[in-house]
Amino acid sequence: MKSFAHKDIIALRDLSKEEIELLISTAETMREINNRPIKKVPTLRGRTVINLFYEASTRTRTSFEIAAKRLSADLVNISPSTSSSTKGETLSDTALNLLAMKPDIIVMRHSASGAHYFLSKRLPTCSVINAGDGTHEHPSQGLLDMLTMKDRFGRLDGLKVAIVGDITHSRVARSNIQGLTKMGSHIFVAGPPTMVPPGVEKLGNVTACSTMKEAIEDADVVMMLRIQQERQGKTLMPSTGEYAKYFGLNPVNLKLAKPDAMVMHPGPINRGVEMSSFVVDGNQAHILKQVENGVAVRMAMLYHVIGGEPE
Ligand code: NCD
């Protein structure tokens, strides 16, 4: 039986193709639990999970909470406004204090890229799962995105995946690039020049395009990103109207992609900016399917970091 050798999941960059496949296939198995009338199994009974979110979240935090509860873990939520970080406590001290209460897994979202590696070193007896760190990675989002693409195409190998928007500040883009490259997809990125990092090609099987048209032409998947204004030091575009004109997805430019292309977005969506409502609510959008798959993926992540074996 295949096993997962990592205590933590911090970045898809750190995982092999086989480990990513294992997480995705476990998530496929976990999905069955989410469709039962009684959505609970005893797998993580007696385990304690702490959700430590230093940044806003709707989907990811709720999804990890539901995932932990469906596996019968005890879950505690800590948010910045209620944590002692507002009183000046360092991340290291918060971590050591939480560790004293013997949690099994800490799921953290933090604005500092790399904060989880720091946390992991201080918590040798507790698993750390990254729910998004600054502009670095968002592995659970990358995994749920890949599962949703696999559901649609039955494979990831050979897909043309366009990622459009604020690539520079997107941890979602980075996790998808790391994961999809390992799975054999080809990624085409496009965005305003101020939002596409130089050297992005070096991250994996990535082609940087100068126009949105080039990126989405004949694409199997069109993944749109929100402009991460909270991470931009200054405004990197003249106006949202101009952004929508050149980098927004609408029913007209969507026709450039393959006829059955799937449209994705990690949320939250700014309707009328990165995507028109026609596309968000249209039949090519798989956005709510991504959210649905998120629970199963996070169940798989929680299960494997504490050494679970596939049933
Ligand atoms: C993303 C994030 O937080 O990085 N959201 C999410 O987790 N679903 C994307 C975003 O905030 O734009």
Side-chain angles (χ1 to χ4, degrees), residues 2-4 17-27 300 304 308 310:
K2 283 184 275 182
S3 66
F4 190 76
K17 179 177 189 249
E18 291 69 32
E19 287 164 339
I20 291 173
E21 279 169 348
L22 177 63
L23 286 163
I24 292 176
S25 71
T26 305
H304 280 298

Side-chain angles (χ1 to χ4, degrees), residues 192-211:
T194 48
M195 297 185 202
V196 179
V200 67
E201 291 96 338
K202 295 195 192 101
L203 289 176
N205 190 5
V206 180
T207 302
C209 305
S210 46
T211 62

